[in-house]
mmCIF file of all heavy atoms in Angstrom:
data_model
loop_
_atom_site.group_PDB
_atom_site.id
_atom_site.type_symbol
_atom_site.label_atom_id
_atom_site.label_comp_id
_atom_site.label_asym_id
_atom_site.label_seq_id
_atom_site.Cartn_x
_atom_site.Cartn_y
_atom_site.Cartn_z
ATOM 1 N N GLY A 125 0.770 -1.229 0.000
ATOM 2 C CA GLY A 125 0.000 0.000 0.000
ATOM 3 C C GLY A 125 0.807 1.288 0.000
ATOM 4 O O GLY A 125 0.257 2.372 -0.142
ATOM 5 N N PHE A 126 2.131 1.187 0.149
ATOM 6 C CA PHE A 126 2.948 2.399 0.244
ATOM 7 C C PHE A 126 2.866 3.247 -1.023
ATOM 8 O O PHE A 126 2.661 4.455 -0.954
ATOM 9 C CB PHE A 126 4.415 2.039 0.535
ATOM 10 C CG PHE A 126 5.295 3.252 0.697
ATOM 11 C CD1 PHE A 126 5.388 3.881 1.924
ATOM 12 C CD2 PHE A 126 5.999 3.778 -0.370
ATOM 13 C CE1 PHE A 126 6.185 5.007 2.092
ATOM 14 C CE2 PHE A 126 6.786 4.901 -0.230
ATOM 15 C CZ PHE A 126 6.879 5.520 1.008
ATOM 16 N N GLY A 127 3.021 2.624 -2.181
ATOM 17 C CA GLY A 127 3.010 3.365 -3.439
ATOM 18 C C GLY A 127 1.701 4.084 -3.677
ATOM 19 O O GLY A 127 1.673 5.221 -4.132
ATOM 20 N N ALA A 128 0.598 3.427 -3.342
ATOM 21 C CA ALA A 128 -0.715 4.035 -3.562
ATOM 22 C C ALA A 128 -0.979 5.183 -2.589
ATOM 23 O O ALA A 128 -1.636 6.155 -2.938
ATOM 24 C CB ALA A 128 -1.807 2.982 -3.429
ATOM 25 N N ARG A 129 -0.468 5.064 -1.370
ATOM 26 C CA ARG A 129 -0.745 6.098 -0.367
ATOM 27 C C ARG A 129 0.280 7.222 -0.343
ATOM 28 O O ARG A 129 -0.063 8.375 -0.144
ATOM 29 C CB ARG A 129 -0.836 5.469 1.016
ATOM 30 C CG ARG A 129 -2.155 4.786 1.269
ATOM 31 C CD ARG A 129 -2.375 4.441 2.729
ATOM 32 N NE ARG A 129 -1.434 3.475 3.258
ATOM 33 C CZ ARG A 129 -1.522 2.160 3.108
ATOM 34 N NH1 ARG A 129 -2.517 1.647 2.431
ATOM 35 N NH2 ARG A 129 -0.631 1.355 3.633
ATOM 36 N N HIS A 130 1.560 6.892 -0.515
ATOM 37 C CA HIS A 130 2.614 7.886 -0.312
ATOM 38 C C HIS A 130 3.466 8.157 -1.547
ATOM 39 O O HIS A 130 4.183 9.145 -1.589
ATOM 40 C CB HIS A 130 3.545 7.448 0.830
ATOM 41 C CG HIS A 130 2.814 7.143 2.095
ATOM 42 N ND1 HIS A 130 2.198 8.107 2.841
ATOM 43 C CD2 HIS A 130 2.576 5.969 2.724
ATOM 44 C CE1 HIS A 130 1.632 7.551 3.895
ATOM 45 N NE2 HIS A 130 1.833 6.265 3.843
ATOM 46 N N GLY A 131 3.412 7.290 -2.503
ATOM 47 C CA GLY A 131 4.241 7.457 -3.702
ATOM 48 C C GLY A 131 3.456 8.078 -4.821
ATOM 49 O O GLY A 131 2.746 9.059 -4.634
ATOM 50 N N HIS A 132 3.553 7.477 -5.992
ATOM 51 C CA HIS A 132 2.837 8.001 -7.149
ATOM 52 C C HIS A 132 2.321 6.917 -8.082
ATOM 53 O O HIS A 132 1.735 7.214 -9.104
ATOM 54 C CB HIS A 132 3.731 8.969 -7.930
ATOM 55 C CG HIS A 132 4.902 8.318 -8.587
ATOM 56 N ND1 HIS A 132 6.034 7.962 -7.903
ATOM 57 C CD2 HIS A 132 5.112 7.946 -9.867
ATOM 58 C CE1 HIS A 132 6.894 7.401 -8.740
ATOM 59 N NE2 HIS A 132 6.358 7.375 -9.929
ATOM 60 N N ASP A 133 2.536 5.635 -7.708
ATOM 61 C CA ASP A 133 2.087 4.582 -8.610
ATOM 62 C C ASP A 133 1.930 3.257 -7.891
ATOM 63 O O ASP A 133 2.375 3.082 -6.756
ATOM 64 C CB ASP A 133 3.063 4.407 -9.775
ATOM 65 C CG ASP A 133 4.426 3.886 -9.350
ATOM 66 O OD1 ASP A 133 4.501 2.828 -8.698
ATOM 67 O OD2 ASP A 133 5.437 4.527 -9.674
ATOM 68 N N ILE A 134 1.263 2.347 -8.596
ATOM 69 C CA ILE A 134 1.223 0.936 -8.214
ATOM 70 C C ILE A 134 1.933 0.202 -9.343
ATOM 71 O O ILE A 134 1.584 0.361 -10.512
ATOM 72 C CB ILE A 134 -0.217 0.416 -8.058
ATOM 73 C CG1 ILE A 134 -0.907 1.101 -6.875
ATOM 74 C CG2 ILE A 134 -0.218 -1.099 -7.885
ATOM 75 C CD1 ILE A 134 -2.349 0.693 -6.706
ATOM 76 N N HIS A 135 2.923 -0.586 -8.998
ATOM 77 C CA HIS A 135 3.742 -1.300 -9.980
ATOM 78 C C HIS A 135 3.167 -2.705 -10.134
ATOM 79 O O HIS A 135 3.066 -3.454 -9.167
ATOM 80 C CB HIS A 135 5.180 -1.353 -9.464
ATOM 81 C CG HIS A 135 6.155 -1.873 -10.453
ATOM 82 N ND1 HIS A 135 7.435 -1.411 -10.527
ATOM 83 C CD2 HIS A 135 6.057 -2.823 -11.414
ATOM 84 C CE1 HIS A 135 8.090 -2.045 -11.480
ATOM 85 N NE2 HIS A 135 7.267 -2.913 -12.024
ATOM 86 N N MET A 136 2.835 -3.072 -11.380
ATOM 87 C CA MET A 136 2.297 -4.392 -11.689
ATOM 88 C C MET A 136 3.246 -5.100 -12.657
ATOM 89 O O MET A 136 3.897 -4.453 -13.479
ATOM 90 C CB MET A 136 0.908 -4.259 -12.331
ATOM 91 C CG MET A 136 -0.110 -3.482 -11.504
ATOM 92 S SD MET A 136 -0.651 -4.326 -10.011
ATOM 93 C CE MET A 136 -1.643 -5.646 -10.697
ATOM 94 N N ARG A 137 3.303 -6.439 -12.543
ATOM 95 C CA ARG A 137 4.227 -7.211 -13.392
ATOM 96 C C ARG A 137 3.571 -8.528 -13.797
ATOM 97 O O ARG A 137 2.877 -9.162 -13.010
ATOM 98 C CB ARG A 137 5.503 -7.494 -12.619
ATOM 99 C CG ARG A 137 6.519 -8.317 -13.383
ATOM 100 C CD ARG A 137 7.803 -8.482 -12.609
ATOM 101 N NE ARG A 137 8.468 -7.188 -12.525
ATOM 102 C CZ ARG A 137 9.297 -6.823 -11.536
ATOM 103 N NH1 ARG A 137 9.554 -7.646 -10.554
ATOM 104 N NH2 ARG A 137 9.865 -5.641 -11.535
ATOM 105 N N ARG A 138 3.868 -8.913 -15.041
ATOM 106 C CA ARG A 138 3.382 -10.187 -15.556
ATOM 107 C C ARG A 138 4.517 -10.885 -16.284
ATOM 108 O O ARG A 138 5.201 -10.271 -17.111
ATOM 109 C CB ARG A 138 2.226 -9.942 -16.515
ATOM 110 C CG ARG A 138 1.689 -11.201 -17.147
ATOM 111 C CD ARG A 138 0.534 -10.870 -18.060
ATOM 112 N NE ARG A 138 0.189 -12.056 -18.824
ATOM 113 C CZ ARG A 138 -0.579 -12.060 -19.863
ATOM 114 N NH1 ARG A 138 -1.112 -10.929 -20.299
ATOM 115 N NH2 ARG A 138 -0.844 -13.163 -20.506
ATOM 116 N N ALA A 139 4.708 -12.150 -16.005
ATOM 117 C CA ALA A 139 5.720 -12.939 -16.707
ATOM 118 C C ALA A 139 5.144 -13.425 -18.026
ATOM 119 O O ALA A 139 4.003 -13.883 -18.090
ATOM 120 C CB ALA A 139 6.151 -14.125 -15.856
ATOM 121 N N ILE A 140 5.950 -13.288 -19.076
ATOM 122 C CA ILE A 140 5.597 -13.821 -20.389
ATOM 123 C C ILE A 140 6.821 -14.580 -20.865
ATOM 124 O O ILE A 140 7.800 -13.985 -21.316
ATOM 125 C CB ILE A 140 5.212 -12.692 -21.377
ATOM 126 C CG1 ILE A 140 3.997 -11.932 -20.854
ATOM 127 C CG2 ILE A 140 4.951 -13.268 -22.761
ATOM 128 C CD1 ILE A 140 3.564 -10.777 -21.711
ATOM 129 N N GLY A 141 6.769 -15.885 -20.728
ATOM 130 C CA GLY A 141 7.954 -16.698 -21.018
ATOM 131 C C GLY A 141 9.064 -16.341 -20.039
ATOM 132 O O GLY A 141 8.850 -16.277 -18.837
ATOM 133 N N ARG A 142 10.254 -16.098 -20.579
ATOM 134 C CA ARG A 142 11.388 -15.712 -19.727
ATOM 135 C C ARG A 142 11.437 -14.209 -19.471
ATOM 136 O O ARG A 142 12.275 -13.734 -18.722
ATOM 137 C CB ARG A 142 12.695 -16.136 -20.388
ATOM 138 C CG ARG A 142 12.927 -17.623 -20.310
ATOM 139 C CD ARG A 142 14.385 -17.886 -20.548
ATOM 140 N NE ARG A 142 14.533 -18.744 -21.710
ATOM 141 C CZ ARG A 142 15.639 -18.877 -22.390
ATOM 142 N NH1 ARG A 142 16.698 -18.175 -22.080
ATOM 143 N NH2 ARG A 142 15.707 -19.699 -23.407
ATOM 144 N N ARG A 143 10.574 -13.492 -20.119
ATOM 145 C CA ARG A 143 10.555 -12.029 -19.979
ATOM 146 C C ARG A 143 9.413 -11.611 -19.066
ATOM 147 O O ARG A 143 8.573 -12.411 -18.678
ATOM 148 C CB ARG A 143 10.420 -11.369 -21.342
ATOM 149 C CG ARG A 143 11.602 -11.671 -22.219
ATOM 150 C CD ARG A 143 11.479 -10.975 -23.533
ATOM 151 N NE ARG A 143 12.585 -11.373 -24.378
ATOM 152 C CZ ARG A 143 13.526 -10.563 -24.773
ATOM 153 N NH1 ARG A 143 13.516 -9.305 -24.416
ATOM 154 N NH2 ARG A 143 14.492 -10.986 -25.554
ATOM 155 N N ARG A 144 9.393 -10.318 -18.786
ATOM 156 C CA ARG A 144 8.308 -9.795 -17.976
ATOM 157 C C ARG A 144 7.827 -8.477 -18.581
ATOM 158 O O ARG A 144 8.563 -7.797 -19.287
ATOM 159 C CB ARG A 144 8.750 -9.592 -16.539
ATOM 160 C CG ARG A 144 9.793 -8.520 -16.402
ATOM 161 C CD ARG A 144 10.188 -8.312 -14.965
ATOM 162 N NE ARG A 144 10.790 -7.005 -14.844
ATOM 163 C CZ ARG A 144 11.810 -6.731 -14.082
ATOM 164 N NH1 ARG A 144 12.340 -7.659 -13.339
ATOM 165 N NH2 ARG A 144 12.288 -5.511 -14.021
ATOM 166 N N VAL A 145 6.594 -8.171 -18.286
ATOM 167 C CA VAL A 145 6.007 -6.911 -18.704
ATOM 168 C C VAL A 145 5.649 -6.154 -17.428
ATOM 169 O O VAL A 145 4.957 -6.691 -16.559
ATOM 170 C CB VAL A 145 4.744 -7.130 -19.570
ATOM 171 C CG1 VAL A 145 4.077 -5.809 -19.895
ATOM 172 C CG2 VAL A 145 5.095 -7.896 -20.826
ATOM 173 N N ASP A 146 6.150 -4.930 -17.311
ATOM 174 C CA ASP A 146 5.881 -4.102 -16.150
ATOM 175 C C ASP A 146 4.963 -2.953 -16.551
ATOM 176 O O ASP A 146 5.189 -2.301 -17.576
ATOM 177 C CB ASP A 146 7.179 -3.533 -15.588
ATOM 178 C CG ASP A 146 8.034 -4.598 -14.923
ATOM 179 O OD1 ASP A 146 8.687 -5.387 -15.641
ATOM 180 O OD2 ASP A 146 8.038 -4.645 -13.695
ATOM 181 N N VAL A 147 3.956 -2.722 -15.748
ATOM 182 C CA VAL A 147 3.027 -1.611 -15.949
ATOM 183 C C VAL A 147 2.970 -0.844 -14.635
ATOM 184 O O VAL A 147 2.803 -1.440 -13.567
ATOM 185 C CB VAL A 147 1.616 -2.106 -16.337
ATOM 186 C CG1 VAL A 147 0.638 -0.943 -16.426
ATOM 187 C CG2 VAL A 147 1.659 -2.884 -17.640
ATOM 188 N N GLU A 148 3.136 0.461 -14.729
ATOM 189 C CA GLU A 148 2.985 1.307 -13.548
ATOM 190 C C GLU A 148 1.706 2.108 -13.710
ATOM 191 O O GLU A 148 1.530 2.837 -14.690
ATOM 192 C CB GLU A 148 4.183 2.248 -13.386
ATOM 193 C CG GLU A 148 5.434 1.526 -12.967
ATOM 194 C CD GLU A 148 6.611 2.464 -12.722
ATOM 195 O OE1 GLU A 148 6.518 3.671 -13.037
ATOM 196 O OE2 GLU A 148 7.629 1.974 -12.214
ATOM 197 N N LEU A 149 0.832 1.958 -12.744
ATOM 198 C CA LEU A 149 -0.419 2.710 -12.709
ATOM 199 C C LEU A 149 -0.170 3.959 -11.867
ATOM 200 O O LEU A 149 -0.104 3.894 -10.653
ATOM 201 C CB LEU A 149 -1.532 1.855 -12.102
ATOM 202 C CG LEU A 149 -1.835 0.556 -12.847
ATOM 203 C CD1 LEU A 149 -2.773 -0.315 -12.033
ATOM 204 C CD2 LEU A 149 -2.413 0.859 -14.223
ATOM 205 N N HIS A 150 -0.010 5.076 -12.539
ATOM 206 C CA HIS A 150 0.293 6.335 -11.857
ATOM 207 C C HIS A 150 -0.992 7.066 -11.505
ATOM 208 O O HIS A 150 -1.886 7.183 -12.326
ATOM 209 C CB HIS A 150 1.135 7.249 -12.768
ATOM 210 C CG HIS A 150 2.524 6.771 -12.964
ATOM 211 N ND1 HIS A 150 3.582 7.306 -12.284
ATOM 212 C CD2 HIS A 150 3.030 5.800 -13.756
ATOM 213 C CE1 HIS A 150 4.697 6.700 -12.642
ATOM 214 N NE2 HIS A 150 4.389 5.773 -13.543
ATOM 215 N N TRP A 151 -1.024 7.593 -10.313
ATOM 216 C CA TRP A 151 -2.120 8.489 -9.953
ATOM 217 C C TRP A 151 -1.637 9.930 -9.902
ATOM 218 O O TRP A 151 -2.432 10.858 -9.815
ATOM 219 C CB TRP A 151 -2.786 8.074 -8.649
ATOM 220 C CG TRP A 151 -1.870 7.959 -7.470
ATOM 221 C CD1 TRP A 151 -1.148 6.864 -7.090
ATOM 222 C CD2 TRP A 151 -1.572 8.979 -6.517
ATOM 223 N NE1 TRP A 151 -0.418 7.140 -5.961
ATOM 224 C CE2 TRP A 151 -0.669 8.434 -5.577
ATOM 225 C CE3 TRP A 151 -1.985 10.301 -6.355
ATOM 226 C CZ2 TRP A 151 -0.167 9.154 -4.523
ATOM 227 C CZ3 TRP A 151 -1.487 11.014 -5.294
ATOM 228 C CH2 TRP A 151 -0.598 10.440 -4.386
ATOM 229 N N ARG A 152 -0.332 10.125 -9.978
ATOM 230 C CA ARG A 152 0.261 11.447 -10.193
ATOM 231 C C ARG A 152 1.621 11.232 -10.840
ATOM 232 O O ARG A 152 2.168 10.141 -10.816
ATOM 233 C CB ARG A 152 0.365 12.264 -8.917
ATOM 234 C CG ARG A 152 1.444 11.826 -7.955
ATOM 235 C CD ARG A 152 1.539 12.802 -6.791
ATOM 236 N NE ARG A 152 2.426 12.281 -5.775
ATOM 237 C CZ ARG A 152 2.384 12.619 -4.516
ATOM 238 N NH1 ARG A 152 1.492 13.480 -4.097
ATOM 239 N NH2 ARG A 152 3.235 12.097 -3.657
ATOM 240 N N ILE A 153 2.149 12.301 -11.405
ATOM 241 C CA ILE A 153 3.433 12.212 -12.105
ATOM 242 C C ILE A 153 4.539 12.444 -11.088
ATOM 243 O O ILE A 153 4.737 13.560 -10.621
ATOM 244 C CB ILE A 153 3.509 13.254 -13.237
ATOM 245 C CG1 ILE A 153 2.359 13.023 -14.209
ATOM 246 C CG2 ILE A 153 4.851 13.178 -13.956
ATOM 247 C CD1 ILE A 153 2.085 14.187 -15.104
ATOM 248 N N GLY A 154 5.222 11.404 -10.700
ATOM 249 C CA GLY A 154 6.334 11.505 -9.767
ATOM 250 C C GLY A 154 5.904 11.548 -8.311
ATOM 251 O O GLY A 154 4.757 11.829 -7.985
ATOM 252 N N ASP A 155 6.844 11.250 -7.433
ATOM 253 C CA ASP A 155 6.572 11.268 -5.997
ATOM 254 C C ASP A 155 6.344 12.683 -5.471
ATOM 255 O O ASP A 155 5.633 12.883 -4.511
ATOM 256 C CB ASP A 155 7.742 10.640 -5.213
ATOM 257 C CG ASP A 155 7.755 9.126 -5.323
ATOM 258 O OD1 ASP A 155 6.707 8.540 -5.639
ATOM 259 O OD2 ASP A 155 8.818 8.535 -5.086
ATOM 260 N N ASP A 156 6.967 13.655 -6.094
ATOM 261 C CA ASP A 156 6.838 15.044 -5.656
ATOM 262 C C ASP A 156 5.410 15.523 -5.913
ATOM 263 O O ASP A 156 4.850 15.301 -6.979
ATOM 264 C CB ASP A 156 7.837 15.915 -6.430
ATOM 265 C CG ASP A 156 7.999 17.290 -5.830
ATOM 266 O OD1 ASP A 156 6.968 17.958 -5.614
ATOM 267 O OD2 ASP A 156 9.147 17.690 -5.593
#
């Protein structure tokens, strides 16, 4: 819950074979 409450995003990841796909759900641009 830290990213959603105090940061700026929730980081999501999915494995596809040996690789991964990362998606960041931002609710604001940057921590500032």
Side-chain angles (χ1 to χ4, degrees):
F126 182 85
R129 282 193 296 278
H130 306 291
H132 67 282
D133 66 55
I134 294 177
H135 189 145
M136 304 290 289
R137 178 176 292 153
R138 178 179 170 193
I140 299 178
R142 286 199 240 161
R143 297 182 184 246
R144 66 178 200 218
V145 175
D146 289 77
V147 175
E148 289 183 351
L149 300 170
H150 289 259
W151 56 273
R152 74 174 171 204
I153 302 163
D155 285 339
D156 193 308

